Amino acid sequence: MKFTDGYWLDRPQFEIQSPKEVFDYRKSDDKLTLYAPFKYINERGDELNLGMSTIELTSPIEGVIGVKLIHFDQNDKGPSYQLENEHPNVDITTGDKEITFKSGDLTAKVPYKSNFELDFLHKGKEITKSMEKAQGVILDKSTGKHYMREQLSMGVDELIYGLGERFTSFVKNGQTVDIVNKDGGTGSEEAYKNIPFYLSSEGYGVFVNQPETVSFEIASENVDRTQFSVEGESLQYFIVDGPTPKDVLNKYTRLTGQVALPPAWSFGLWLSTSFTTDYSAETVLKFIDGMHDRKIPLDVFHFDCFWQKGFEWCTLLWDKEQFPDPEGLIKKIHDRGIKVCVWINPYIAQKSPLFKEAQDNGYLIKRQDGNVWQWDLWQAGNGFVDFTNPDAVKWYQSKLKSLLDMGVDCFKTDFGERIPVEDVKFFDGSDPKREHNYYTLQYNQTVFDLIKQEKGDDQAIVFARSATVGSQKFPVHWGGDCLSRYKSMADSLRGGLSFLLSGFGFWAHDISGFEEQATPDLYKRWTQFGLLSSHSRYHGSGQYKVPWVFDEEAVDNTRKFVDLKLSLMPYLFNEAVNTHETGTPLMRPLFLEYTKDRNAYFLEREYMFGSKLLVAPIFNAEGTVKYYLPEGKWTNILNEKTYDVKNGEWFDETYDNLTLPLLARENSIILRNPNAEHAEYDYTDSPDIHLYEFADGAKETTRVVDEKGKPAGHVTAERSGSTITLSADGLKGSSKVYVHADGNVKEFTLDGGSATLSL
């Protein structure tokens, strides 16, 4: 929200007051409280008829400092984000001229009884600061509303990322962003997944701990600062220290919740009925058997909305006209080695038999007059399940449990964005403005916890559209309703990379687009991108997405890239475990790996797939692609073409419909199994070991995990001159070893724990 008229003036409707100095303080073992009046105190009379800010400094994680700005100390109604507290040691020092609060390598420093500013330093070097007049206690004189504002300084070259799955420019400088979940598609500034956290290229992050709408002005209203504001009388934010972007994400996810590890089978191909297409039990089995006949492995089949009767979503009962024997159908699908996912949302249509049951028991969100809050958007007479009511949670879970009992494996948890804020009453008295964004966390946690309870910790997964802070604990998320166009494909990637820099580890998108009709060339290119994403699902609105409805080359393309992804699972699942452990996303912008390469900080149409592979999707029918490679030796694992890049270089190339740039970085060890038929298998059983462009003197080790994500062993390779010494533990059987160098491949055999390879 903008409060100023240019650099010098405030907009006339706003009265803005800011701290002038820290006049007094209190400290305890782990908390520093500063008292900062709105004018300088020169004599006792200055203390009268004067407001002040109370500023609380705390540290829940080492290297993270929380700042809470308080005008009037009022209790909020909730909800509040669920934050972890590791109770680190802090060091508080006070003096005649300066007060400091230190946690790890991060220090907050403020002058005492002098011009107010709040500096943040990493190992003594300033990373950002709140300067005089940056903090604001603001009154809108035209409406009587109160706001709290903070502004943090930016460096000359500083770039800002994140703030959720945003489809606007990857670098957020110059943008205005409102953190409010909306069902806006993938082609506007609105977003399904709004996260009040941004990552700076200067090695720190900022998390605004407010579930309600947070308005960000990123180098826009004031081009030298990031600004964030909320309506109300208090505002809390956390400075998250690095010094690397990966360090920031690690600390942020430790604070807001560890990224959960999805089950291995979820990384395979998901096939959907699509949305408004005609489908029945016969259609479903025809699609599944059609994939099998064409030797295209399938891991999950998804039933979209019309597994239920129209006008009755979500009744959570099968439409018996189209699916007369759902238990039998699910068994047939399971017998083919395929999991089952069904679509749900948290809205109950008035025609659904569940509506009156929920209405009578108080399980739906109400208006202030006690009636159920309803509208006709989406389904006629929709009501919203009130997840602030513990009995409503149990009731909703009981309906889903019946589906799990008949064999359903997981749920697509659609929607959760259009939660009302006007004339609303929640069961627990939550503030509707805070509940709007928070609702998706309660919804997805309700479903995720049930699956975990019924299927086991290692089997819990949802396929969610909306998200908020902490939703990374309940993966996986997909990108929402995109168009079937190349531009929308590129928009989806940009949004996904933004999302993955916001504390999330795993992400998917509707392969070939949701709206409109995909062309065969788009289908093939999006398939490549989709199978080189963490999770991969064919889905659409009014178009079937099986490859043979496009052409035979689409079948070949799908088969090739499904086989490729399955073969890479020993590598990918280890990388996924690392995501779970550290918060570094599986798909990631290049600058997370190449922090010293300034060119990498602007790249939004290519990405790293784990730490070793670079992917540059193709966004046109001609097969042309422009992409950037950082310094080093690279090998395209699809055609063995090599690149020896000295200082970073752009390439302009053309690829046929069965290939694209997919490059392994130098000194990489990548484990593969070319015979994989599903995503989940024994990754320790005789994997092929690929060594890419090992330099003389290089030594690398990769961890081996099993299909449950448990560490099972290691593979280590060390080159000296023309000899590579290879050792492995935790592997079964014998493995083929492929040494890739300068476009040539040499094959060896590792039979036992070690081998010496002569090049």
Side-chain angles (χ1 to χ4, degrees):
M1 186 170 180
K2 297 180 179 179
F3 302 99
T4 57
D5 179 12
Y7 195 82
W8 311 111
L9 303 176
D10 297 333
R11 297 189 179 188
Q13 70 267 38
F14 295 118
E15 178 184 287
I16 303 176
Q17 301 185 88
S18 301
K20 295 298 183 184
E21 64 176 351
V22 173
F23 181 73
D24 199 3
Y25 63 86
R26 291 177 186 167
K27 68 174 184 174
S28 63
D29 291 340
D30 60 359
K31 182 178 178 180
L32 174 65
T33 304
L34 308 172
Y35 299 95
F38 297 151
K39 73 176 185 179
Y40 297 105
I41 307 302
N42 298 312
E43 57 182 44
R44 285 187 171 182
D46 292 335
E47 299 177 21
L48 304 177
N49 304 310
L50 175 66
M52 72 163 60
S53 286
T54 302
I55 304 170
E56 297 177 348
L57 302 183
T58 55
S59 177
I61 308 284
E62 185 176 291
V64 177
I65 293 180
V67 181
K68 187 169 186 180
L69 313 177
I70 304 168
H71 180 218
F72 294 151
D73 193 357
Q74 300 177 345
N75 293 325
D76 65 67
K77 297 181 180 179
S80 298
Y81 289 128
Q82 306 161 10
L83 304 184
E84 300 296 324
N85 192 336
E86 298 178 3
H87 302 286
N89 293 324
V90 299
D91 183 19
I92 302 173
T93 61
T94 59
D96 293 339
K97 295 184 178 181
E98 185 177 87
I99 305 170
T100 64
F101 182 97
K102 186 174 186 294
S103 174
D105 292 329
L106 181 64
T107 300
K109 180 178 70 173
V110 61
Y112 182 44
K113 294 191 176 180
S114 182
N115 294 346
F116 179 87
E117 63 179 34
L118 181 57
D119 295 3
F120 299 96
L121 306 97
H122 169 78
K123 291 186 175 180
K125 181 181 178 182
E126 181 185 300
I127 53 176
T128 190
K129 67 163 57 176
S130 172
M131 295 182 282
E132 188 177 9
K133 296 185 178 181
Q135 294 180 12
V137 175
I138 302 171
L139 169 66
D140 185 338
K141 293 178 288 186
S142 64
T143 64
K145 292 182 178 180
H146 293 260
Y147 299 89
M148 298 292 288
R149 181 192 71 189
E150 177 64 291
Q151 296 173 333
L152 297 175
S153 65
M154 297 177 64
V156 172
D157 295 323
E158 188 166 353
L159 305 173
I160 301 298
Y161 308 89
L163 298 173
E165 185 191 41
R166 314 220 74 83
F167 304 102
T168 53
S169 295
F170 181 50
V171 175
K172 300 302 183 289
N173 296 46
Q175 296 185 35
T176 294
V177 174
D178 287 335
I179 301 297
V180 53
N181 285 356
K182 293 185 178 182
D183 180 0
T186 66
S188 77
E189 64 183 1
E190 294 181 356
Y192 304 103
K193 308 172 188 67
N194 290 265
I195 312 298
F197 166 77
Y198 66 79
L199 179 67
S200 167
S201 62
E202 297 305 299
Y204 70 93
V206 175
F207 162 48
V208 181
N209 184 31
Q210 304 286 153
E212 68 268 41
T213 298
V214 183
S215 294
F216 284 87
E217 304 290 340
I218 306 102
S220 54
E221 182 174 9
N222 185 314
V223 298
D224 298 330
R225 304 177 185 180
T226 58
Q227 173 179 300
F228 41 92
S229 60
V230 296
E231 183 182 345
E233 298 284 2
S234 66
L235 167 65
Q236 186 178 43
Y237 66 94
F238 292 86
I239 302 293
V240 184
D241 192 23
T244 71
K246 287 184 181 180
D247 293 330
V248 174
L249 292 174
N250 175 261
K251 290 170 185 170
Y252 171 75
T253 53
R254 283 162 54 195
L255 175 64
T256 60
Q258 186 178 31
V259 178
L261 177 66
W265 53 260
S266 71
F267 290 78
L269 180 62
W270 298 46
L271 178 63
S272 168
T273 57
S274 291
F275 172 33
T276 60
T277 51
D278 292 328
Y279 53 89
S280 62
E282 290 74 21
T283 310
V284 168
L285 291 177
K286 182 175 70 174
F287 285 166
I288 291 173
D289 291 341
M291 298 290 276
H292 178 267
D293 293 345
R294 292 165 177 83
K295 296 182 172 54
I296 301 173
L298 189 62
D299 272 288
V300 185
F301 192 86
H302 168 69
F303 293 83
D304 215 56
C305 310
F306 281 99
W307 68 274
Q308 307 164 94
K309 286 186 176 181
F311 286 113
E312 295 188 10
W313 304 336
C314 255
T315 196
L316 303 176
L317 295 173
W318 292 84
D319 180 352
K320 288 300 184 71
E321 292 182 8
Q322 301 300 324
F323 303 99
D325 180 18
E327 292 93 339
L329 176 60
I330 292 171
K331 184 179 184 303
K332 290 177 181 177
I333 296 173
H334 282 169
D335 289 345
R336 290 160 167 81
I338 298 168
K339 303 287 186 180
V340 172
C341 173
V342 299
W343 175 95
I344 61 172
N345 72 16
Y347 313 155
I348 310 296
Q350 185 171 296
K351 185 175 181 291
S352 167
L354 296 187
F355 184 88
K356 183 168 176 50
E357 183 179 342
Q359 181 184 43
D360 290 348
N361 287 282
Y363 296 158
L364 301 176
I365 296 170
K366 295 179 180 179
R367 294 187 182 272
Q368 291 291 339
D369 64 6
N371 285 311
V372 172
W373 205 106
Q374 291 178 265
W375 63 5
D376 290 330
L377 193 62
W378 183 241
Q379 290 276 281
N382 264 341
F384 303 80
V385 177
D386 187 348
F387 292 107
T388 74
N389 183 343
D391 290 335
V393 170
K394 294 176 184 177
W395 172 80
Y396 192 70
Q397 287 179 326
S398 72
K399 305 303 179 182
L400 298 180
K401 184 178 182 302
S402 298
L403 293 164
L404 295 177
D405 289 344
M406 71 170 59
V408 169
D409 297 286
C410 62
F411 299 99
K412 172 183 170 181
T413 48
D414 207 352
F415 290 79
E417 305 92 359
R418 289 176 173 158
I419 307 306
V421 295
E422 300 294 337
D423 188 21
V424 184
K425 182 179 181 181
F426 287 88
F427 174 83
D428 71 347
S430 284
D431 181 349
K433 292 180 180 179
R434 294 169 70 93
E435 183 66 31
H436 174 86
N437 288 339
Y438 196 83
Y439 183 90
T440 180
L441 185 78
Q442 297 165 323
Y443 164 39
N444 281 285
Q445 183 170 4
T446 294
V447 181
F448 191 89
D449 285 352
L450 174 68
I451 299 173
K452 187 162 61 172
Q453 171 189 307
E454 297 299 314
K455 302 284 186 178
D457 288 359
D458 62 348
Q459 296 299 302
I461 182 175
V462 295
F463 210 84
R465 188 174 75 177
S466 57
T468 190
V469 173
S471 293
Q472 67 270 12
K473 296 181 289 185
F474 316 117
V476 162
H477 296 82
W478 101 97
D481 298 345
C482 47
L483 303 179
S484 297
R485 304 175 187 177
Y486 282 110
K487 185 63 173 63
S488 191
M489 177 181 164
D491 295 342
S492 294
L493 173 57
R494 184 169 60 250
L497 293 178
S498 180
F499 177 64
L500 293 162
L501 286 178
S502 304
F504 289 78
F506 307 101
W507 174 78
H509 42 93
D510 290 343
I511 297 176
S512 77
F514 178 73
E515 299 286 357
E516 305 175 326
Q517 301 289 304
T519 59
D521 57 282
L522 175 72
Y523 183 89
K524 296 165 199 174
R525 293 305 184 190
W526 208 321
T527 291
Q528 296 169 355
F529 168 40
L531 269 302
L532 294 169
S533 299
S534 85
H535 287 74
S536 311
R537 183 183 69 152
Y538 281 127
H539 186 54
S541 180
Q543 182 184 33
Y544 296 127
K545 293 302 175 78
V546 288
W548 55 89
V549 305
F550 294 91
D551 58 33
E552 282 306 308
E553 189 178 54
V555 173
D556 295 339
N557 183 67
T558 298
R559 183 190 306 112
K560 177 175 181 176
F561 283 90
V562 174
D563 287 345
L564 172 67
K565 187 176 188 183
L566 300 187
S567 78
L568 285 167
M569 279 302 295
Y571 159 76
L572 289 176
F573 206 53
N574 174 50
E575 294 284 337
V577 173
N578 180 70
T579 293
H580 163 65
E581 294 169 340
T582 68
T584 300
L586 181 57
M587 298 172 68
R588 63 196 69 160
L590 265 65
F591 77 79
L592 285 190
E593 295 295 332
Y594 294 91
T595 56
K596 295 181 179 180
D597 187 338
R598 195 66 183 178
N599 293 314
Y601 281 78
F602 298 89
L603 301 176
E604 61 179 34
R605 288 188 294 278
E606 58 188 275
Y607 57 94
M608 297 297 295
F609 196 25
S611 60
K612 306 298 185 185
L613 293 175
L614 183 150
V615 182
I618 295 173
F619 299 105
N620 57 73
E622 294 74 33
T624 61
V625 57
K626 296 179 181 178
Y627 65 99
Y628 177 83
L629 292 180
E631 182 174 353
K633 288 188 174 182
W634 298 85
T635 305
N636 190 318
I637 71 171
L638 299 177
N639 60 19
E640 294 301 326
K641 184 175 179 180
T642 60
Y643 304 79
D644 190 356
V645 180
K646 299 304 181 185
N647 294 301
E649 187 176 348
W650 283 92
F651 295 86
D652 191 343
E653 299 175 338
T654 302
Y655 288 79
D656 64 36
N657 284 329
L658 298 178
T659 54
L660 81 164
L662 174 59
L663 301 111
R665 66 196 292 184
E666 63 187 4
N667 302 322
S668 289
I669 303 172
I670 296 180
L671 305 186
R672 296 179 61 175
N673 187 330
N675 301 313
E677 296 181 355
H678 287 284
E680 183 175 347
Y681 54 90
D682 187 351
Y683 305 138
T684 70
D685 188 3
S686 307
D688 291 350
I689 302 171
H690 292 259
L691 310 179
Y692 287 95
E693 294 292 347
F694 258 71
D696 190 13
K699 182 178 180 180
E700 296 290 334
T701 297
T702 189
R703 178 177 57 180
V704 179
V705 300
D706 65 17
E707 65 273 25
K708 299 300 180 184
K710 304 299 183 184
H714 297 84
V715 175
T716 299
E718 182 175 10
R719 179 176 174 178
S720 178
S722 60
T723 300
I724 293 179
T725 302
L726 186 67
S727 62
D729 63 271
L731 298 183
K732 303 172 184 175
S734 62
S735 291
K736 294 180 180 179
V737 181
Y738 298 91
V739 180
H740 304 256
D742 298 322
N744 299 311
V745 185
K746 289 189 175 182
E747 182 178 339
F748 303 87
T749 299
L750 177 66
D751 194 357
S754 62
T756 301
L757 316 177
S758 297
L759 304 180

